[in-house]
Each structure stands twice: as C-alpha cells, then as structure tokens.
C-alpha cells in the first residue's frame, strides 16, 4: 500500500495542507492564517485524519530551521506568530521536516520543475517580497539560519530615482526589484519601471552565479507575469556578468535564466518532498 505524506505550506495569509501519495496531491485544504491557536489546530486536524508517515512544512519566515529552536517563528509582524513553534504546536506525532517556503520551492523546482535535468538550481521568487534559495539533490542550503538573498545590496543605476521600499535597507534587492517595488514604481509614473527592475534582477543573477554556482536560476512569483520581464532579466544578467564565469552554461542565456514551472504549488510540492525524504531516513 502506498504511503501517505502530509505537506503544509505556511503562508502569511493562508495555510495549505495537502495529502500526498506517490508524489501526487490527492487532497488539499486552505486555512486562513489567523492566530496560531486557531490556525494550527485546524491544520493538525487534517493531518491527524490522514495518518501520514511524515510531514513536511514549507514556512514563511523568519524561522529557525536547525537546533533546539527548530520550527520557532522569528520576528514576523503577524500578530501571535513570533515565538510560535510550528513543529511542537502542530504535534502530529510523526517525523516532521521543515524548510522555508523558498527553500522548499527550490527543492520542488529542482526535482519536478525547471531544474529536472540539472543537479543544482537557485529559485528566486519575485512576488510582494523577493526571496531566493539554492538547492541541490541533497536539499536546500542552510547556514546559520537561512539565506536572505532578497536583501543583498544593489548597485544603483544612476538614472533610477526610486529610493527603494525595504524598511531595513531602503534600496536593497527587495526594496528595488520586488513585485511591490514594481507596483510602487508604476504608481509613481516611472518610465520603464520593469526595465529598472530587470536591471537589478540581472545583478541578482550575477550575485547568485558567483556565490552558489548553480546550474540554473529559475524565476517565479507574480512579477514574472510582467510582459517581457524574464527576457530582460536574461539580457541584464549577461551585462552584469560581463563575460566572467567559470560555468559555460551561464552564457546559454535561454537555458540558464529560466521561468519556474510549478507556479503556486512549488512550496506545497516541496513540503511533500521534504516529508518523503524525512520518511526515507527513518528506520522501518
Ligand atoms: Zn532589505
């Protein structure tokens, strides 16, 4: 009989909880993100009904991924969530694997999406915010905590008067090139708003290329629907790299900078893959 795996995508506005078997999503429920004392028992009820052998969680952050505080939410502005422990409070009684939403999405895109034919990939989501993660076939990269590639500094374009919207840094990558930054640029009537954003995302391709040396970089999130954006990112990344890379695939612009394929399911699929891998490490 096939094993059942539970997958949870913990988002800032909703939780998705899915029942997976043989890699297929068989059942899904969506639960609004309210106080953890309301949301987490509702998630737990679905998981308990399915008797999964393991559960994977893809969570919004900041969140602790390793050590004694594994699963503890950090300083999110969501009321009630700082200090909540997604693993202990869900209390499902089976092994639980956890990663960030972008880390899980990177694992999913590598296994099932834009990176199926390569061994490593960086996933970048350009949505309301901007985040990214590196994954290879062993999982996503964790160091002390998780990557925050959305907050890398950028080299400002002299003709760009937009000051940036990151509350911490102003003109970091997220401040200049997130979906919300793009919306704000347009609201202010900035000419070529998407071209400016593409320029900074091209810089991000160079940062990720030089830092992680991935075989592919896949862009997802709502902003990639912007007409022509990904093509512009490809062009701008070649300018930012300026011909300097040890990876010959990088100059194959069409294949290297690509579009994520799993859409809004990347996090949930990634959570299921985390659960499968967690189960395969357990005896029996
Ligand atoms: Zn920032």
């Amino acid at each position: 009989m096939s094993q059942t795996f539970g997958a949870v995508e913990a988002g800032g506005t909703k939780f998705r909880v899915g029942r997976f078997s043989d890699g297929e999503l068989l059942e899904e429920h969506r639960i609004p993100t309210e106080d953890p004392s309301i949301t987490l028992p509702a998630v737990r009820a679905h998981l308990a009904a399915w008797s999964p052998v393991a559960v994977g969680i893809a969570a919004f952050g900041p969140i602790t991924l390793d050590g004694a505080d594994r699963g503890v939410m950090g300083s999110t502005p969501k009321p009630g969530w700082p200090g909540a422990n997604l693993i202990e409070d869900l209390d499902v009684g089976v092994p639980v694997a956890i990663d960030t939403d972008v880390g899980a999405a990177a694992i999913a895109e590598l296994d099932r999406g834009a990176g199926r034919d390569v061994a490593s990939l960086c996933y970048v989501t350009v949505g309301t915010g901007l985040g990214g993660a590196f994954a290879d076939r062993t999982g996503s990269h964790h160091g002390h905590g998780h990557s925050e590639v959305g907050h890398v500094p950028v080299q400002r374009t002299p003709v760009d008067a937009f000051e940036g919207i990151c509350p911490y840094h102003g003109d970091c990558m997220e401040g200049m090139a997130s979906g919300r930054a793009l919306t704000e640029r347009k609201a202010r009537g900035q000419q070529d708003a998407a071209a400016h954003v593409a320029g900074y995302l091209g810089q991000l391709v160079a940062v990720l290329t030089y830092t992680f040396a991935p075989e592919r970089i896949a862009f997802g999130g709502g902003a990639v629907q912007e007409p022509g954006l990904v093509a512009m990112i490809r062009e701008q990344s070649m300018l930012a790299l300026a011909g300097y890379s040890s990876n010959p695939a990088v100059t194959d612009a069409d294949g290297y900078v690509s579009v994520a394929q799993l859409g809004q399911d990347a996090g949930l699929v990634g959570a299921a893959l985390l659960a499968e891998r967690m189960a395969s490490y357990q005896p029996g």
Side-chain angles (χ1 to χ4, degrees):
M1 200 177 112
S2 295
Q3 291 181 313
T4 295
F5 299 97
V8 177
E9 184 183 41
T13 57
K14 66 176 181 297
F15 274 54
R16 295 172 66 183
V17 51
R19 177 166 68 91
F20 281 79
S21 190
D22 294 326
E24 296 293 322
L25 175 62
L26 301 179
E27 183 178 347
E28 186 195 335
H29 300 274
R30 298 180 181 210
I31 297 153
T33 305
E34 299 176 59
D35 190 86
S37 65
I38 298 168
T39 303
L40 294 179
V43 173
R44 182 172 60 224
H46 290 298
L47 293 171
W50 297 335
S51 302
V53 295
V55 169
I57 302 174
F60 69 109
I63 187 165
T64 305
L65 298 177
D66 302 289
D69 287 338
R70 196 172 77 101
V72 175
M73 299 293 303
S75 58
T76 166
K78 297 288 297 175
W81 287 94
N85 187 323
L86 291 187
I87 296 174
E88 282 185 5
D89 297 352
L90 278 176
D91 187 27
V92 288
V94 296
V96 176
I98 190 162
D99 206 332
T100 60
D101 43 12
V102 285
I107 289 168
E109 285 291 342
L110 180 64
D111 202 77
R112 303 278 167 86
R116 276 171 299 185
D117 59 330
V118 294
S120 63
L121 161 143
C122 278
Y123 170 76
V124 178
T125 176
V126 189
T128 308
L130 195 156
F134 170 86
D136 62 18
R137 296 290 172 186
T138 66
S140 75
H141 171 77
H142 300 173
H144 180 73
H146 46 80
S147 302
E148 293 280 7
V149 303
H151 295 279
V152 296
V154 302
Q155 189 170 22
R156 291 191 66 108
T157 316
V159 294
D160 184 13
F162 188 69
E163 72 275 19
I165 55 166
C166 176
Y168 297 95
H169 313 110
D171 61 357
C172 66
M173 189 60 66
E174 180 170 295
M176 298 301 273
S178 60
R180 198 160 69 81
L182 177 60
T183 303
E184 187 65 29
R185 286 171 180 277
K186 288 178 175 176
R188 296 185 194 180
Q190 186 180 42
Q191 298 294 312
D192 303 324
H196 283 295
V197 165
Y200 296 113
L201 295 176
Q203 290 184 30
L204 183 58
V205 168
V207 168
L208 296 173
T209 299
Y210 294 144
T211 308
F212 293 108
E215 287 180 57
R216 184 157 297 150
I217 297 177
F219 281 86
V224 299
Q225 307 299 325
E226 179 77 16
L229 185 69
V230 174
M232 283 193 285
I233 297 170
R234 286 188 185 119
E235 270 178 45
Q236 293 296 322
S237 63
M238 292 305 116
L239 293 175
L241 289 158
Y244 183 74
S245 170
S246 57
N247 177 0
V250 168
T251 55
D252 172 19
D254 287 352
Y256 184 59
V257 174
S258 62
V259 181
Q261 294 179 1
L262 299 176
Q264 299 192 343
D265 289 338
L268 196 66
V269 170
L273 290 167
L274 287 168
E276 285 178 25
R277 290 173 189 180
M278 174 63 92
S280 70
Y281 299 140
Q282 305 297 317

